Amino acid sequence: MSLNKLPINEKNAIKEYYDSYGYVIVENLLNHSRIQALLDAYEIIKHSKSFVFFSQDTHLPTKPKLTQEGFMENSILNPASLKLWKQFSQSVEECLVDENITEVLKVLSESSSYVMMQNMFFDKSTGTVEHQDHYYLDSEPPGKMVAAWYSLEDIHEDAGCFFVLPGSHKGRVIERKSASNFSDHDTFVKQINNLINEGNYEYRSFPLKKGDVLFWHPYTIHGAYNNRDPRFSRKSLTAHYYPSDLAPLYAGKVPTHRKTSNSNITILGSQKECYISNAMHYVRYVANYIRGRGPDYDMRRNSYTT
């Protein structure tokens, strides 16, 4: 099935498609030179023996683990905040605050400025379980956050494609029982599977081209398939944005922001907090190694396969 992609100048069509299906693809949105700068910086850090990052799929600090083909197994949570690795973090940030991104966000949420809540980097697909973003993060009031997946290369169908379930944003939304922890995560995954069965939703996968960006609603059920051919990577970014006149859901206090090169986008967390968090990855990495501690919760599909 061919993918329905829209150019950035078709703003009405972009909004209508997003409202109807809970997602939309804008083609060739991200500048290829910015993508290349990011990939060049990534090639340096993934081979560094001193690089420690927080993994999005296991929620543990870890070092790079490369496949035989040279792809990193784990995804990186908040790579734009890894200030101890400035060239990489800055190149990630430049992609995520590109002016074209702002133009699409304005269409989808009808706001002029945004806060980036979270971002992630993927090399090899980690195979993400079906979920709604609202369970983890959202705006306050809910439903105004917009997420984006940036294709940093031509994605092969066997690479572990990102997928969404069109129209699922109009169905029931699963709430987190506790704002402070994810102790009910296994139950949440089961509830999402029940929603899929009840709604009889179709799965739509996205072997996008380099520079394409997919946007989706926080209630839309989505995830990623496992890699089916180790020869293919799935280099990509994700980010989550909410209008700056709103607050983040589940926030216990007023969050700090830091400026970016785009005056219409700030990022959660001050520069100082980024350095402290980056340093703590190393402390926790050593402590977890000594204690043999596993993940608090797991996003990998294989962990939920019965």
Side-chain angles (χ1 to χ4, degrees):
M1 180 182 296
S2 61
L3 296 178
N4 188 0
K5 301 181 184 181
L6 296 169
I8 189 173
N9 62 322
E10 293 189 15
K11 292 181 169 55
N12 289 337
I14 288 172
K15 175 63 172 172
E16 290 174 4
Y17 198 96
Y18 180 83
D19 289 344
S20 295
Y21 299 103
Y23 79 95
V24 67
I25 304 169
V26 183
E27 63 181 353
N28 199 27
L29 188 66
L30 187 57
N31 184 289
H32 284 207
S33 63
R34 287 190 168 179
I35 292 176
Q36 193 57 52
L38 188 163
L39 296 179
D40 290 344
Y42 171 63
E43 284 300 314
I44 295 173
I45 65 165
K46 79 174 185 181
H47 294 292
S48 173
K49 294 182 180 180
S50 60
F51 181 52
V52 172
F53 60 92
F54 196 81
S55 169
Q56 175 270 343
D57 52 302
T58 64
H59 281 76
L60 289 172
T62 187
K63 287 187 174 182
K65 300 173 185 177
L66 303 184
T67 67
Q68 185 175 354
E69 293 74 21
F71 308 137
M72 197 163 74
E73 293 273 7
N74 297 101
S75 53
I76 303 175
L77 182 65
N78 291 324
S81 298
L82 294 176
K83 295 302 181 181
L84 296 180
W85 302 87
K86 187 174 181 179
Q87 185 175 357
F88 176 63
S89 63
Q90 187 62 37
S91 64
V92 170
E93 180 178 308
E94 289 300 318
C95 286
L96 298 179
V97 302
D98 187 277
E99 292 290 345
N100 282 343
I101 304 304
T102 311
E103 289 304 305
V104 178
L105 291 175
K106 288 178 181 178
V107 172
L108 299 181
S109 68
E110 300 174 352
S111 179
S112 60
S113 59
Y114 303 86
V115 179
M116 188 195 307
M117 301 181 72
Q118 179 177 280
N119 52 88
M120 291 169 272
F121 174 85
F122 299 85
D123 188 352
K124 178 178 177 289
S125 176
T126 58
T128 306
V129 69
E130 289 87 337
H131 63 283
Q132 294 170 324
D133 283 338
H134 173 77
Y135 174 87
Y136 308 96
L137 70 172
D138 201 347
S139 59
E140 180 61 75
K144 300 297 183 181
M145 184 184 76
V146 178
W149 182 56
Y150 301 71
S151 180
L152 303 178
E153 62 181 337
D154 291 349
I155 307 296
H156 193 277
E157 289 185 0
D158 291 336
C161 277
F162 189 99
F163 63 78
V164 305
L165 280 61
S168 56
H169 67 304
K170 298 179 180 180
R172 187 160 56 93
V173 179
I174 306 300
E175 303 288 347
R176 197 161 87 211
K177 292 181 180 178
S178 171
S180 59
N181 65 65
F182 299 88
S183 59
D184 62 338
H185 192 261
D186 287 355
T187 300
F188 165 68
V189 173
K190 293 177 182 177
Q191 290 175 318
I192 288 293
N193 286 328
N194 289 337
L195 283 184
I196 295 171
N197 292 330
E198 293 169 6
N200 194 29
Y201 299 114
E202 70 163 318
Y203 281 67
R204 182 71 58 85
S205 60
F206 300 101
L208 301 184
K209 295 296 183 182
K210 183 176 181 179
D212 291 347
V213 181
L214 182 149
F215 298 85
W216 71 93
H217 192 280
Y219 300 163
T220 300
I221 300 173
H222 63 285
Y225 292 118
N226 290 328
N227 177 283
R228 296 186 299 197
D229 189 326
R231 296 175 299 170
F232 298 112
S233 60
R234 198 205 68 185
K235 291 180 174 62
S236 52
L237 290 169
T238 64
H240 301 75
Y241 309 84
Y242 68 88
S244 59
D245 59 334
L246 303 182
L249 189 66
Y250 307 122
K253 59 181 180 180
V254 178
T256 57
H257 302 168
R258 65 182 185 274
K259 295 180 180 180
T260 71
S261 58
N262 184 337
S263 61
N264 293 308
I265 298 180
T266 59
I267 305 180
L268 282 185
S270 67
Q271 295 283 358
K272 179 180 178 181
E273 289 170 333
C274 289
Y275 280 106
I276 292 174
S277 175
N278 203 171
M280 287 302 297
H281 293 340
Y282 290 84
V283 175
R284 290 187 60 195
Y285 175 80
V286 173
N288 289 345
Y289 178 80
I290 294 172
R291 294 183 297 173
R293 180 178 176 179
D296 294 330
Y297 66 95
D298 197 326
M299 293 294 292
R300 294 171 294 185
R301 296 183 68 79
N302 288 344
S303 299
Y304 295 92
T305 301
T306 57

